[in-house]
Amino acid sequence: MKKFISEFRDFIVRGNVMDLAVAFIMGAAFTTVVKSVVDDLMMPLIGIVTKSVSFANIVWQVGSAQIKIGSFISTLITFIFTSLAVFVMIKGINAAQNLRKKSDKEEAEVVAETELSVLLEIRDTLAKNEAK
């Protein structure tokens, strides 16, 4: 049991689990911001266009059931904006990583070229000394 607790503690304290927890909290906060932008800024404008006081109050009555189409559309728009924002962030992160990889690769090529030129120079010098 002690080994299990020790392994669990090591798992929790590892950096990637903590990073995941921070990302989850930031994602929840970001979703709240996007939801506010959609509900408080965009939906009133859409409500003006659709001649509805509140877009979220658009309801289809089917028998005794109420289909809250306005609320669904609001949630769908929130999802689309959140997905778009995450896509743009991931695209930016990938571009930065590609630049870094390209820079590292170029630096490695320069180092390899420099080492090769030094070794060739040493070889040539040794060959001249042996010829004398």
Side-chain angles (χ1 to χ4, degrees):
M1 184 66 173
K2 287 183 181 182
K3 183 179 178 188
F4 177 80
I5 293 172
S6 175
E7 288 176 359
F8 181 70
R9 181 191 45 150
D10 292 343
F11 172 76
I12 292 296
V13 206
R14 239 186 298 162
N16 54 357
V17 173
M18 298 305 267
D19 292 342
L20 181 62
V22 169
F24 181 78
I25 292 167
M26 292 300 294
F30 181 72
T31 300
T32 304
V33 170
V34 172
K35 183 165 178 42
S36 177
V37 167
V38 171
D39 291 344
D40 300 332
L41 301 177
M42 294 185 64
M43 294 321 252
L45 296 174
I46 293 173
I48 291 170
V49 172
T50 61
K51 307 283 190 237
S52 175
V53 175
S54 173
F55 193 74
N57 291 336
I58 296 175
V59 176
W60 291 346
Q61 193 73 29
V62 179
S64 62
Q66 289 185 344
I67 299 173
K68 298 178 180 180
I69 191 71
S71 178
F72 171 74
I73 292 173
S74 175
T75 302
L76 188 62
I77 291 172
T78 301
F79 171 75
I80 290 170
F81 278 129
T82 303
S83 300
L84 178 65
V86 170
F87 172 75
V88 169
M89 288 187 323
I90 295 298
K91 196 163 177 62
I93 290 169
N94 287 341
Q97 287 176 342
N98 288 339
L99 286 174
R100 182 176 171 200
K101 286 178 185 177
K102 184 178 179 182
S103 173
D104 290 347
K105 184 178 179 183
E106 289 172 355
E107 185 177 308
E109 288 175 359
V110 168
V111 169
E113 186 176 299
T114 305
E115 289 176 3
L116 179 61
S117 62
V118 169
L119 289 173
L120 290 173
E121 188 177 323
I122 292 170
R123 182 197 66 189
D124 295 341
T125 305
L126 288 174
K128 284 181 187 176
N129 288 341
E130 286 179 6
K132 289 181 182 182

